Amino acid sequence: MKKVVIIGNGMMGVGIAAISALAGHPTVLVGRTKEKAEAALPASYAAIEELLANELTTPEAAERAHTLITASGDQTAACEGAGVVIEAIPEKMAEKQVLFRELDAILPPEVPILSNTSGLPITQIASQVERYPERTMTTHFWFPAHLVPLVEVVMWEKTDPAMAESVKELLAGWGKAPVIVKRDTPGQLGNRLLHAIIREAINIVEIGLASAEDVDTAIKNGLGIRFPVYGPLEHSDAVGLDLTLTVQDTVLAEISNRREASDLLREKVKNGDLGAKTGKGFYDWQVRSMDVLAKNRNDFIIAARKLTAKMPKDH
């Protein structure tokens, strides 16, 4: 199995390390120091145990995964013999550019260099790679990385399409649901969809059409509960594209087409109402619990994964 090196020991790095090890890969978690990397290992083990406790992996795979993850503070030594390297450091462009340049200088040309960035363009991250830019691309794991199947493989103009397909195949072998994003655009794929929904959700609250709670209730109990097995384009085919055309001609003129964030969102940020971290956003987090919400989110993802795994494929 390929040796996987993950540079960055934050919440994304530890989750990716857990999935890599569960797939049978010797996995090295690299931190600024070996002590910091070692301190992050329990979080990877906890992710493995959460999957095991919910029957999303086997006892044998979990036991093996614990032995496959190691920690290092020496980036160059860790990369020796690597089959793939994933960058999962904080979202700071200059630091990512330096790291990609360093990795390109020491890795053989067949080793993909991947960024877990959720928003920074791979075109800029890899802009200083001089030797083999064709092996650079984004692999955006969605949080929590050990639970959410989606990974966006984002190409830029110099990415080798064949190498992108090989990365997609590797991630599918990890039990992920990877998708290829053929151009490096803001929002990649998933966040373009998500922020179109957020834009209209905020707009509905702003124009007084419904409360924040009712907007979220509609999403959770309508769109969201179907989406794990019934995508919007499948829905369009199911109801008929003629009906979809009629509805779009009626609805699109009425929904938000803002090219910038809404005044309501700007006002909340200006007032310091930043959400759970300040105690107030669209909701009052003095009376609501983010810990409970996060647990409910994870429990639902786990239940949905177990259920959808049993469903027959339609193709």
Side-chain angles (χ1 to χ4, degrees):
M1 299 292 281
K2 290 182 178 180
K3 175 183 175 181
V4 176
V5 177
I6 298 161
I7 301 176
N9 57 346
M11 60 184 179
M12 293 303 295
V14 297
I16 298 169
I19 295 299
S20 168
L22 282 169
H25 297 274
T27 303
V28 185
L29 191 62
V30 180
R32 292 188 181 275
T33 66
K34 185 175 182 180
E35 291 72 23
K36 288 184 177 181
E38 287 177 338
L41 289 179
S44 287
Y45 301 150
I48 293 167
E49 293 307 311
E50 183 176 15
L51 292 168
L52 176 61
N54 289 283
E55 301 177 337
L56 292 174
T57 190
T58 65
E60 294 78 16
E63 182 178 0
R64 179 181 61 176
H66 277 272
T67 68
L68 287 174
I69 305 177
T70 56
S72 175
D74 187 333
Q75 178 178 296
T76 300
C79 286
E80 290 181 6
V84 61
V85 178
I86 302 174
E87 167 269 305
I89 66 174
E91 296 283 71
K92 297 179 180 179
M93 177 62 75
E95 292 184 13
K96 290 180 185 285
Q97 289 175 329
V98 169
L99 177 56
F100 264 58
R101 187 171 64 245
E102 291 173 348
L103 292 173
D104 181 57
I106 63 174
L107 291 168
E110 69 275 9
V111 178
I113 304 174
L114 314 173
S115 175
N116 180 57
T117 181
S118 60
L120 297 179
I122 188 62
T123 300
Q124 293 183 34
I125 292 173
S127 63
Q128 298 178 21
V129 169
E130 296 180 351
R131 295 174 68 221
Y132 306 110
E134 64 274 11
R135 43 86 170 271
T136 60
M137 66 199 86
T138 293
T139 46
H140 175 215
F141 290 75
W142 277 55
F143 181 78
H146 67 296
L147 293 181
V148 179
L150 178 63
V151 184
E152 295 166 282
V153 180
V154 184
M155 301 168 55
W156 65 300
E157 61 182 16
K158 295 186 179 181
T159 302
D160 178 2
M163 187 165 280
E165 287 292 340
S166 71
V167 169
K168 179 181 178 181
E169 183 178 346
L170 173 71
L171 295 171
W174 294 11
K176 290 300 185 180
V179 296
I180 297 283
V181 184
K182 298 179 181 179
R183 293 193 301 277
D184 183 25
T185 60
Q188 300 166 347
L189 190 161
N191 272 321
R192 289 172 74 95
L193 297 169
L194 174 61
H195 281 275
I197 292 173
I198 291 175
R199 177 179 63 184
E200 185 54 32
I202 294 174
N203 179 59
I204 287 171
V205 175
E206 189 171 25
I207 66 176
L209 185 62
S211 67
E213 187 168 5
D214 283 349
V215 169
D216 280 342
T217 296
I219 292 288
K220 293 176 188 177
N221 294 279
L223 306 179
I225 207 162
R226 300 190 308 191
F227 277 170
V229 294
Y230 186 70
L233 300 183
E234 290 172 324
H235 168 75
S236 297
D237 274 357
V239 302
L241 297 187
D242 49 345
L243 177 58
T244 300
L245 175 61
T246 299
V247 173
Q248 290 237 314
D249 278 342
T250 302
V251 172
L252 291 185
E254 298 297 322
I255 67 175
S256 174
N257 64 353
R258 287 179 182 266
R259 302 300 296 271
E260 67 287 317
S262 77
D263 293 339
L264 175 60
L265 182 58
R266 292 186 188 280
E267 180 182 357
K268 287 184 177 295
V269 171
K270 181 180 178 181
N271 292 338
D273 296 332
L274 307 181
K277 64 184 176 181
T278 60
K280 186 178 179 183
F282 286 103
Y283 295 96
D284 183 353
W285 292 98
Q286 302 295 329
V287 298
R288 296 171 67 107
S289 171
M290 181 55 69
D291 289 339
V292 171
L293 180 62
K295 184 179 187 306
N296 289 344
R297 175 201 64 202
N298 287 8
D299 288 349
F300 187 86
I301 292 170
I302 289 165
R305 283 188 57 184
K306 291 168 75 171
L307 181 61
T308 54
K310 299 176 183 178
M311 291 183 171
K313 301 293 184 183
D314 62 355
H315 59 280

